[in-house]
Amino acid sequence: MIRVQTGDFDVGAELEQLRRDNNGRAGAMVSFTGLVRDINAGDSVSEMTLEHYPGMTEKALEKIEQQANTRWELTASLIIHRVGALQPDDNIVLVIAASKHRKQAFQACEFMIDTLKTEAPFWKKETLPEGTRWVEPGQCR
Amino acid sequence: MVHLRYFASLREQLGTGEEQVELPSNITDISGLTRWLQTREEPWKSALADSRLHVAINQEIVRPDAPVTDGDEVAWFPPVTGG
């Protein structure tokens, strides 16, 4: 399942829901949570705004989840991505992969977040003390 | 008519997020459409000259030689930075 939303998500509640959805078939669940950092490229960040391409975003996330389910034998999967104005320490993205064994779950989770970062149409804009700037790919450090 | 959309830093540079235009009859693909938009006054020429821009037709990423037809939604945007 995929969701794009402005509101926050509860990582624990999402993991618990997916655990129930597995109906006992999964032996492993791996999750990745992406957060807003308070510093990027040496500058302090007070706010981060996530822009996206409504419609295409959902299609891209569905495709990524589908690819993961084709490559690995998953019992359940989930991608949630937030959009709009976020503050440091806020959740941005949650990816969960559940499988019979841990290796498949680890690999599928990594694939989904890595692919999302290069293919899903989201753009980050940071608010710094000097003003705003668009995040460049690979700039985060 | 084609529905043109611009996102993120490109949207800000151009000062517009979307527009409807009549597709000139001699334009058949993305590179032709991009060149035609670049004949507008600045910032169109320089903003759309960025080779890192991606283009999507009907919400699927395409190459510059992809055909454009009436009724399409065409979007230009910088490299994505989500996650």
Side-chain angles (χ1 to χ4, degrees):
Chain A
M1 192 174 34
I2 67 108
R3 296 208 309 265
V4 178
Q5 61 190 46
T6 52
D8 196 12
F9 49 79
D10 179 334
V11 177
E14 298 297 341
L15 276 163
E16 179 60 16
Q17 183 60 49
L18 216 69
R19 192 181 67 78
R20 289 171 194 274
D21 292 346
N22 279 301
N23 265 329
R25 288 170 299 145
M29 293 177 69
V30 172
S31 77
F32 170 85
T33 311
L35 308 169
V36 180
R37 255 178 307 135
D38 62 356
I39 285 192
N40 188 29
D43 299 307
S44 70
V45 176
S46 59
E47 187 169 272
M48 174 173 279
T49 305
L50 262 294
E51 178 172 335
H52 76 127
Y53 183 170
M56 182 172 171
T57 312
E58 289 81 357
K59 283 188 198 175
L61 296 182
E62 276 163 11
K63 189 175 165 190
I64 291 165
E65 187 184 38
Q66 202 178 4
Q67 285 172 333
N69 278 271
T70 305
R71 286 179 65 172
W72 292 279
E73 212 173 302
L74 304 181
T75 51
S77 54
L78 175 70
I79 304 174
I80 304 177
H81 203 298
R82 294 181 69 192
V83 293
L86 304 175
Q87 274 75 45
D89 203 38
D90 278 353
N91 292 316
I92 305 175
V93 61
L94 175 65
V95 177
I96 308 177
S99 186
K100 282 183 188 169
H101 303 288
R102 72 182 182 283
K103 196 158 192 173
Q104 297 235 335
F106 270 120
Q107 289 177 349
C109 185
E110 185 173 34
F111 167 83
M112 287 192 279
I113 184 61
D114 286 355
T115 311
L116 181 156
K117 284 181 95 73
T118 57
E119 293 184 11
F122 293 102
W123 300 275
K124 287 177 180 150
K125 189 182 194 181
E126 300 168 329
T127 303
L128 311 170
E130 308 78 41
T132 60
R133 97 179 147 201
W134 290 96
V135 173
E136 294 287 328
Q139 176 202 34
C140 304
R141 57 188 182 264
Chain B
M1 300 286 272
V2 282
H3 185 188
L4 309 184
R5 308 189 65 172
Y6 316 103
F7 289 93
S9 53
L10 180 66
R11 170 179 57 73
E12 286 187 347
Q13 276 177 278
L14 298 176
T16 184
E18 57 189 313
E19 59 180 318
Q20 301 274 350
V21 299
E22 201 71 55
L23 192 64
S25 58
N26 61 331
I27 286 173
T28 56
D29 65 10
I30 289 297
S31 49
L33 181 55
T34 304
R35 279 197 305 272
W36 178 67
L37 289 169
Q38 286 183 287
T39 62
R40 293 172 171 179
E41 62 188 46
E42 288 291 7
W44 291 85
K45 187 174 180 180
S46 49
L48 290 172
D50 187 346
S51 62
R52 297 174 313 156
L53 291 179
H54 295 292
V55 185
I57 296 181
N58 301 325
Q59 306 184 351
E60 294 277 350
I61 299 271
V62 295
R63 292 157 54 95
D65 60 353
V68 181
T69 50
D70 197 40
D72 280 346
E73 176 177 300
V74 185
W76 286 258
F77 48 80
V80 302
T81 54

